[in-house]
Amino acid sequence: MATAQVLLQRFYYLASIQDFPLRGIVLGTLFLACKTEENPQTIRNIINVVDIVVKRDRGYPEVVTDGYDSEYYELKNEMVIGEMQVLRRLAFNVQVELPYGLLANYLRSLELTDQERVPQLAWNYVNDLLRTPVYVCFQPETIACGAIFLAARECRVGLPTSPPWWAVFDANAEDVVQVAKAIRALQARKVPHIIPLSARELKMHGEGVLDEHVAQMRKEMRDKLDAEMKFASQEKNVDEGDGGGKRSQAEHVDDGAQPKSRRGARDSTSRDHNRRRHTSSRSRDTRHSSYRPH
């Protein structure tokens, strides 16, 4: 997931969201990240997860897409095209180095692992920075130092200054402060309630009618699901009502026909046996009549 988010930030540094809608690029980066991190997933699993997350965020009924409907094939095409566009824009440079391992080593070197809040808070900051372009602008060492700096400041924990602790980890003081400011800015930023995923939704977002469109879609999808569930319940009741009568009638017919079939089988066997005996006796008579002694 983190690798996909870094690839997403890299891509939109080189391309516009108006030319490449968000949904296709999200699917493409997730599919590509699964390959680069040697954790392959099927196309259907990725599509289902993204689709369910979007539906849950927008309040849609959480119904998994069928693998053979038009919606699934549309998402699949968007994934393939998105992956190709990411590879093309990034010139196949999809190697990503994350700061989580460095963060754990730095906390251990600074003897902060025994602190109650600092390690978890710094880890949360590193996760939050995935929503910003920081991973494109700074090295992993600087990102880890920025998270530790802000976490220690929040918890009022002193850090070594002689020599400066950030210099030991090959980080620049100004860059560390910039990373901390990016975290602060992210906390103060308001995220849109509904994120536009397609070109059509992006246009609606600019016109200010995206919320109304999502609310209408939510109502239509819920009404459709209720109608389908009601129809399925009626069909089930009809099948259960007819099934009992049909079974009893079939059993009655089978019970009456079974002795007749057995008698017919016995009569047929008896006739065959008599026919074979008659044929055998005739053949013996023929042999005896054809014998003429000299």
Side-chain angles (χ1 to χ4, degrees):
M1 183 66 70
T3 301
Q5 289 180 274
V6 175
L7 294 176
L8 183 76
Q9 294 289 347
R10 287 184 185 176
F11 176 81
Y12 282 118
Y13 247 78
L14 303 171
S16 173
I17 195 173
Q18 294 181 348
D19 298 330
F20 301 95
L22 187 61
R23 184 172 60 185
I25 304 303
V26 168
L27 290 170
T29 52
L30 281 172
F31 190 42
L32 187 59
C34 291
K35 297 177 183 179
T36 58
E37 294 298 329
E38 297 182 358
N39 185 18
Q41 298 291 330
T42 61
I43 294 178
R44 184 167 185 173
N45 286 344
I46 297 174
I47 289 176
N48 287 339
V49 168
V50 172
D51 185 60
I52 288 296
V53 168
V54 172
K55 288 178 178 177
R56 183 176 299 175
D57 182 66
R58 297 187 174 187
Y60 295 164
E62 297 181 15
V63 180
V64 179
T65 57
D66 187 5
Y68 302 99
D69 57 4
S70 58
E71 182 183 2
Y72 174 81
Y73 282 105
E74 181 181 354
L75 293 173
K76 182 179 178 180
N77 291 334
E78 290 183 10
M79 171 188 287
V80 175
I81 294 173
E83 182 189 18
M84 293 174 60
Q85 291 296 336
V86 171
L87 290 173
R88 179 183 177 185
R89 296 284 173 170
L90 299 183
F92 287 83
N93 182 17
V94 293
Q95 184 179 0
V96 176
E97 185 178 357
L98 299 172
Y100 294 99
L102 295 174
L103 178 64
N105 292 332
Y106 293 173
L107 289 171
R108 193 177 299 108
S109 300
L110 294 172
E111 298 181 353
L112 296 175
T113 54
D114 295 334
Q115 293 290 329
E116 183 178 357
R117 294 182 55 211
V118 174
Q120 185 61 55
L121 196 58
W123 195 274
N124 293 341
Y125 288 155
V126 170
N127 287 333
D128 293 340
L129 286 172
L130 290 168
R131 299 162 53 191
T132 68
V134 166
Y135 280 80
V136 184
C137 303
F138 299 99
Q139 295 295 323
E141 296 84 0
T142 304
I143 297 173
C145 289
I148 293 174
F149 170 73
L150 187 59
R153 188 171 182 178
E154 286 286 334
C155 299
R156 298 182 179 181
V157 176
L159 297 174
T161 56
S162 181
W165 64 275
W166 59 85
V168 177
F169 301 137
D170 297 330
N172 183 278
E174 295 180 0
D175 293 342
V176 170
V177 174
Q178 289 296 324
V179 171
K181 289 182 178 180
I183 299 172
R184 287 296 194 186
L186 178 64
Q187 294 173 345
R189 188 176 64 186
K190 293 183 179 181
V191 180
H193 178 63
I194 299 174
I195 300 176
L197 299 177
S198 61
R200 180 167 175 253
E201 291 184 354
L202 190 62
K203 183 179 180 181
M204 291 181 180
H205 179 71
E207 296 173 354
V209 296
L210 181 58
D211 292 348
E212 298 178 4
H213 170 71
V214 171
Q216 181 66 24
M217 289 292 297
R218 185 187 304 120
K219 183 178 181 301
E220 292 178 359
M221 294 178 69
R222 288 180 177 176
D223 293 342
K224 181 180 178 180
L225 181 61
D226 292 341
E228 291 177 352
M229 293 179 64
K230 183 177 180 181
F231 179 77
S233 178
Q234 292 176 353
E235 288 290 324
K236 182 179 180 181
N237 294 334
V238 171
D239 292 340
E240 290 178 353
D242 294 343
K246 292 181 179 179
R247 285 194 298 271
S248 62
Q249 185 177 2
E251 291 173 358
H252 178 71
V253 172
D254 293 341
D255 292 342
Q258 186 175 5
K260 184 177 180 180
S261 62
R262 290 180 179 176
R263 288 196 301 271
R266 289 197 297 268
D267 295 341
S268 178
T269 303
S270 178
R271 286 195 297 268
D272 293 341
H273 181 66
N274 293 333
R275 189 180 297 112
R276 286 195 297 270
R277 290 180 60 187
H278 181 67
T279 303
S280 177
S281 62
R282 289 182 60 186
S283 62
R284 287 197 302 270
D285 295 339
T286 303
R287 289 196 301 271
H288 289 300
S289 61
S290 61
Y291 176 73
R292 295 291 186 269
H294 296 286

